[in-house]
Amino acid sequence: MEFLSYLISGISLGSVYAIIALGYTMVYGIAKMLNFAHGDVIMVGGYISLTAMLSMNLPPIVAVLLAMVVCTVLGVIIEGLAYKPLRSAPSLAVLITAIGVSYFLQNSALLVWGANPKSYTPVIEGAMKIFDGKLSISYISLLTMASCIVIMIVLTLFINKTQLGKAMRACSEDKGAAMLMGINVNRTISVTFAIGSALAAIAGVLLCSSYTSLMPTTGSMPGIKAFTAAVFGGIGSIPGAFLGGILLGIIESMAKAYISTQLANSIVFAVLILTLLIRPAGLLGKYVPEKV
Amino acid sequence: MKNLKKTTKQDFITYLAVILAFIAITVMGDAGMLSRSFKGQLVPICCYIVMAVSLNLTVGILGELSLGHAGFMSVGAFSGIIAAMSLQAAIPSPVLRLVIALVVGAAFAGVAGALIGIPVLRLRGDYLAIVTLAFGEIIKELINCLIVGVDSKGLHIIFNVSGAKTVNDLHMLEGGRAIIKGAQGATGTETIASFTAGFVLIMISLVIILNLVRSRSGRAIMALRDNRIAAESVGINVTKYKMMAFVTSAALAGAAGALYGLNYSNLLATKFNFNTSILVLVFVVLGGLGNIRGSIIAAAILTVLPEMLRSFADYRMLVYAIVLILVMLGTNNAQLKGLLAKIIPTKLRKEAK
């Protein structure tokens, strides 16, 4: 029973990672850039929803929607101001700019909401008891897992069935050819950032509801873990991000429970390193051999 | 001087500039012209300069993005602290102990670099970047579990995996003292680092790196960066030269770490986290990839800048972030570059080159 409870908390944590990793992987697939500011968009989503619930007394669902709208706008603005001018610049320059954006978001949040951790009111409280109360699953875990699955299905349908999704796939394969076919590459990239940021807002609400504490640096570690998850599953691959996220969550939860709390992150990273040595492009990534 | 090669001349100018800067700062310090906070920054500035110069070897010269450079600094810092503190009774001279600590720090970081380099350098691009990040985090957590003490019988080391062990579990004899206390980090370290030592370390790193870059091996390393397949096809041993650059870079970072560690009486393992690696990477990129002189200038200015912005108080990191974004946009965006070219007269730019 204990094992089952760790497994469920692992899957729940993994679902949050998966939602964040989806944003990472989509942006990487299309813009070929590591968006280090993604983790901080999560934090902004958390703060916006908290402010909406506490100061404006809005119901949780409206707060979540508001956070999604704000983060989407934020994502598009960041992309337009900081990343779009660097479309043809070397990837390291874009990476450093992303780090700059990350610092900017963290320090803006510090000025607006202060450095002290704020306690977060979960969007739903309570837990479901099964097996005569031996196993209790909080509603927030159930909500997290359900959201992850719904997001995954909707996103897969969107990418495979809609015209915009087709444009996204075309851009990630070959930007030049996509442009020649009349696809507006810049707009497609903006849409990708918008979707990624909206997902980050949802992840922010779910993450803060599970851990009930929020500060300006809240987003950075989950951001790094989700990035790891995206690479673990094969960066650029949407099912890969989902699989990588869930597996990473389970590994972390099991390592905390059975091996060592102190070394949980190390174990997660060690698994990533081993995986990459055996499969250099991640679990579901396509390995493209170099041609001379 | 006329017979010297152009590159050699350039290198001598770099050495000379560093020496002059050292003399100027020392004279100003003796004359009491420097503020206390600036004096306190001198050793960290030296450490960050060595970190930036050594990371430039990996990122700029070898062309592999490393996001875990602070990990090597951490290995160097804590092994250096252990060496310096455990030899406190045996070697009374602090200068000699500092030298030993730096050498030990460099050696341990070099070994760590070799161990990490073997698997990491097989990967490419962003995958290599994430694995170096992962190693950096692993090193941080491992050192966070370390409890080390010294008594008359020698070193006592335990590894606190469960998180429940304390210094008492070392079972030291009377008169023994703890050097590293797990999550509390190194406490009670004797601060023997000095600005002069920092200057000497910078000079040594410069001599090592500039000579490596100008040598046959250096050309092989740069050939790997520019076109790996072409380099391989003319018989350059990829693993050998990649390892050479990576391990040298790690060892220098270890020495810088040892100096940094011996500058503070208390040091936490969490100090050397991902953000520190990124900070050093920012120095390297802003200074110019592969440009050693640029790394020195960027590291010095960007370490002092947040202090100088102190009057802005809460806004200083925000200003730092905005400056960072604007510099990247200004130097990499074609339109902005063109705009700058119109504003700054051509003659001036030619001279600057």
Side-chain angles (χ1 to χ4, degrees):
Chain A
M1 214 46 69
E2 226 180 22
F3 175 79
L4 211 57
S5 117
Y6 291 133
L7 186 69
I8 289 168
S9 74
I11 296 175
S12 159
L13 178 65
S15 304
V16 177
Y17 289 157
I19 298 173
I20 310 171
L22 283 171
Y24 258 116
T25 223
M26 280 170 62
V27 166
Y28 183 87
I30 290 177
K32 290 283 175 286
M33 66 162 287
L34 299 175
N35 182 13
F36 265 109
H38 197 64
D40 301 294
V41 178
I42 301 168
M43 171 272 297
V44 173
Y47 272 117
I48 298 283
S49 57
L50 182 69
T51 313
M53 281 191 289
L54 288 188
S55 315
M56 295 149 82
N57 282 321
L58 294 171
I61 182 78
V62 183
V64 175
L65 287 176
L66 183 70
M68 282 172 72
V69 171
V70 172
C71 284
T72 307
V73 173
L74 184 69
V76 174
I77 291 176
I78 291 173
E79 199 272 332
L81 287 183
Y83 303 152
K84 198 180 270 174
L86 296 175
R87 214 38 54 80
S88 55
S91 63
L92 249 179
V94 190
L95 182 77
I96 300 289
T97 311
I99 291 162
V101 173
S102 162
Y103 282 165
F104 179 80
L105 291 180
Q106 281 184 17
N107 289 293
S108 310
L110 197 71
L111 288 177
V112 178
W113 289 291
N116 293 334
K118 283 198 168 25
S119 79
Y120 194 90
T121 339
V123 280
I124 41 170
E125 281 168 295
M128 186 175 73
K129 297 224 187 315
I130 43 174
F131 299 121
D132 302 329
K134 276 183 201 153
L135 183 67
S136 109
I137 309 170
S138 66
Y139 288 127
I140 190 71
S141 311
L142 289 175
L143 179 71
T144 308
M145 290 184 257
S147 330
C148 180
I149 292 169
V150 170
I151 287 171
M152 181 65 203
I153 293 171
V154 170
L155 208 58
T156 313
L157 287 176
F158 173 76
I159 300 270
N160 289 322
K161 303 283 178 197
T162 63
Q163 192 139 30
L164 205 55
K166 209 182 222 173
M168 284 163 85
R169 276 184 292 145
C171 288
S172 78
E173 206 139 293
D174 192 328
K175 256 188 231 133
M179 216 180 276
L180 289 175
M181 294 301 123
I183 293 172
N184 187 340
V185 173
N186 269 331
R187 207 194 62 192
T188 314
I189 294 179
S190 298
V191 170
T192 314
F193 267 89
I195 296 173
S197 307
L199 291 182
I202 300 176
V205 172
L206 293 171
L207 186 79
C208 297
S209 297
S210 306
Y211 290 92
T212 64
S213 128
L214 183 58
M215 51 198 248
T217 51
T218 294
S220 61
M221 201 57 198
I224 292 177
K225 292 267 189 61
F227 172 39
T228 312
V231 176
F232 186 52
I235 197 156
S237 147
I238 288 179
F242 178 73
L243 183 70
I246 301 281
L247 282 179
L248 213 68
I250 296 175
I251 295 169
E252 187 179 331
S253 169
M254 292 296 162
K256 265 188 189 147
Y258 294 108
I259 306 174
S260 162
T261 322
Q262 304 221 334
L263 293 175
N265 289 345
S266 298
I267 293 165
V268 169
F269 287 125
V271 171
L272 167 86
I273 293 167
L274 286 178
T275 314
L276 284 185
L277 290 180
I278 300 162
R279 285 191 60 89
L283 290 175
L284 300 181
K286 266 184 280 175
Y287 181 68
V288 187
E290 261 177 290
K291 285 180 193 149
V292 182
Chain B
M1 284 295 272
K2 266 185 186 169
N3 304 332
L4 288 175
K5 265 196 271 172
K6 203 176 156 200
T7 49
T8 321
K9 255 188 208 163
Q10 287 291 325
D11 292 354
F12 277 133
I13 292 173
T14 312
Y15 296 141
L16 197 67
V18 173
I19 294 170
L20 286 178
F22 171 70
I23 294 172
I25 291 172
T26 315
V27 169
M28 279 163 78
D30 289 343
M33 283 160 75
L34 300 176
S35 68
R36 260 183 72 107
S37 72
F38 184 76
K39 271 187 181 166
Q41 290 259 295
L42 287 175
V43 176
I45 289 174
C46 293
C47 297
Y48 282 125
I49 287 177
V50 176
M51 286 297 287
V53 169
S54 63
L55 185 64
N56 206 341
L57 182 62
T58 309
V59 181
I61 312 286
L62 178 64
E64 300 287 9
L65 177 59
S66 165
L67 296 178
H69 209 51
F72 299 125
M73 192 182 185
S74 181
V75 170
F78 286 94
S79 54
I81 289 174
I82 294 172
M85 292 307 289
S86 54
L87 292 172
Q88 212 171 18
I91 304 170
S93 154
V95 176
L96 191 58
R97 254 186 298 138
L98 184 62
V99 172
I100 293 173
L102 293 192
V103 172
V104 169
F108 272 86
V111 170
L115 289 178
I116 293 170
I118 294 166
V120 164
L121 293 174
R122 293 178 53 209
L123 300 166
R124 282 195 205 116
D126 299 323
Y127 289 96
L128 188 139
I130 180 88
V131 170
T132 49
L133 188 163
F135 269 115
E137 292 295 307
I138 292 177
I139 290 175
K140 186 186 83 186
E141 285 201 343
L142 289 180
I143 291 181
N144 221 3
C145 289
L146 209 58
I147 300 179
V148 181
V150 66
D151 63 10
S152 50
K153 277 170 86 182
L155 276 178
H156 294 256
I157 300 172
I158 51 171
F159 202 65
N160 182 16
V161 177
S162 62
K165 288 181 181 158
T166 61
V167 179
N168 297 333
D169 293 304
L170 287 170
H171 302 298
M172 284 188 293
L173 300 174
E174 231 173 276
R177 51 179 299 186
I179 300 173
I180 299 172
K181 297 179 182 166
Q184 291 162 344
T187 52
T189 313
E190 189 192 352
T191 52
I192 50 177
S194 64
F195 179 46
T196 315
F199 161 72
V200 174
L201 184 63
I202 293 177
M203 287 306 286
I204 293 173
S205 334
L206 281 179
V207 170
I208 292 175
I209 289 183
L210 289 176
N211 276 304
L212 177 66
V213 172
R214 309 292 185 219
S215 71
R216 190 185 163 85
S217 307
R219 288 191 295 275
I221 293 168
M222 284 187 277
L224 284 174
R225 170 193 67 188
D226 294 337
N227 193 331
R228 190 183 53 83
I229 294 170
E232 227 175 336
S233 67
V234 294
I236 289 173
N237 185 338
V238 179
T239 317
K240 179 184 156 191
Y241 288 109
K242 274 191 175 179
M243 285 296 280
M244 187 187 280
F246 197 70
V247 173
T248 311
S249 159
L252 288 175
L259 185 71
Y260 190 88
L262 291 167
N263 190 43
Y264 298 97
S265 55
N266 295 308
L267 186 69
L268 290 175
T270 44
K271 165 79 192 128
F272 304 104
N273 58 7
F274 174 63
N275 288 333
T276 309
S277 300
I278 290 294
L279 189 73
V280 179
L281 184 67
V282 169
F283 298 158
V284 172
V285 176
L286 285 187
L289 285 178
N291 187 337
I292 304 292
R293 218 184 287 168
S295 289
I296 301 176
I297 297 169
I301 291 179
L302 289 182
T303 316
V304 180
L305 188 68
E307 287 298 313
M308 280 167 40
L309 290 173
R310 222 169 242 296
S311 47
F312 288 95
D314 295 343
Y315 294 91
R316 65 190 177 123
M317 283 313 286
L318 202 64
V319 174
Y320 182 87
I322 294 170
V323 168
L324 194 63
I325 298 171
L326 288 182
V327 169
M328 287 330 280
L329 288 181
T331 49
N332 287 288
N333 184 273
Q335 281 130 359
L336 274 176
K337 246 187 189 169
L339 201 69
L340 282 179
K342 271 184 203 158
I343 300 167
I344 304 168
T346 334
K347 203 180 156 196
L348 207 81
R349 273 188 298 136
K350 263 187 192 158
E351 275 171 15
K353 268 178 193 169

